[in-house]
Amino acid sequence: MSETEKTVEAEENPHAKVVLQAANAMMKASLKLVPPAVLICIVVFTILKGQPGLLGSVIGGVLALGSAVATLGLMRFSAGMDPMFVMVIALGGYVLKLILLFAALSVLRGVDSIHPMALGVTMIVAILLAAAVEFAAFRKTKIPTIIPASH
């Protein structure tokens, strides 16, 4: 779907407009802070553990960044759908990401050329930072809500 089609869809569907607005804000915030944090992890673990630290940290960073970008991609994909389907896609995407990350880590387990602590710490730093930054961006985004009148 092109940007023009997304814009037309967002104009026709107010829910899509809000979701796309939140996704854009979250993406900008994530891309501003998470890659530098991953780069710091790569430098630190390369200095501390050499090539295994470098490889572990790079792989951990790529997996974590891929996970964060996949979440935002799912938001954009489901923006125009019924809110119930958005939740189904969000939860299904979360489960699928967990399974894929578990599979990737299982495949990498025991690979001597990768330092496991570098991989794990980099993933934790990137995923937690992405979640925090996305949450902060979401809170700053002006999202209209309906507040029922009290009786």
Side-chain angles (χ1 to χ4, degrees):
M1 182 179 281
S2 72
E3 285 298 318
T4 305
E5 290 174 281
K6 286 180 184 175
T7 303
V8 169
E9 180 181 324
E11 288 173 3
E12 294 172 2
N13 182 344
H15 178 260
K17 181 179 179 182
V18 170
V19 174
L20 290 172
Q21 180 183 0
N24 289 337
M26 293 163 69
M27 180 70 85
K28 285 180 190 174
S30 289
L31 292 178
K32 197 179 290 182
L33 294 177
V34 177
V38 169
L39 188 60
I40 289 169
C41 288
I42 290 170
V43 169
V44 167
F45 282 110
T46 301
I47 291 169
L48 294 177
K49 302 296 178 181
Q51 185 175 355
L54 169 70
L55 290 175
S57 199
V58 167
I59 292 169
V62 167
L63 289 173
L65 286 170
S67 175
V69 169
T71 299
L72 298 171
L74 283 174
M75 281 181 70
R76 296 183 69 76
F77 170 75
S78 65
M81 296 179 181
D82 182 79
M84 186 181 347
F85 288 118
V86 173
M87 286 305 298
V88 168
I89 289 172
L91 292 174
Y94 178 71
V95 169
L96 182 62
K97 283 191 322 181
L98 283 177
I99 290 169
L100 291 174
L101 287 174
F102 179 75
L105 293 175
S106 294
V107 168
L108 295 173
R109 186 179 194 188
V111 176
D112 293 335
S113 61
I114 299 171
H115 193 272
M117 184 65 73
L119 182 132
V121 169
T122 303
M123 283 185 71
I124 290 169
V125 166
I127 289 172
L128 290 179
L129 183 60
V133 167
E134 289 169 5
F135 176 73
F138 176 79
R139 291 213 17 143
K140 285 183 181 178
T141 304
K142 303 293 185 219
I143 296 178
T145 56
I146 298 172
I147 302 172
S150 61
H151 290 81

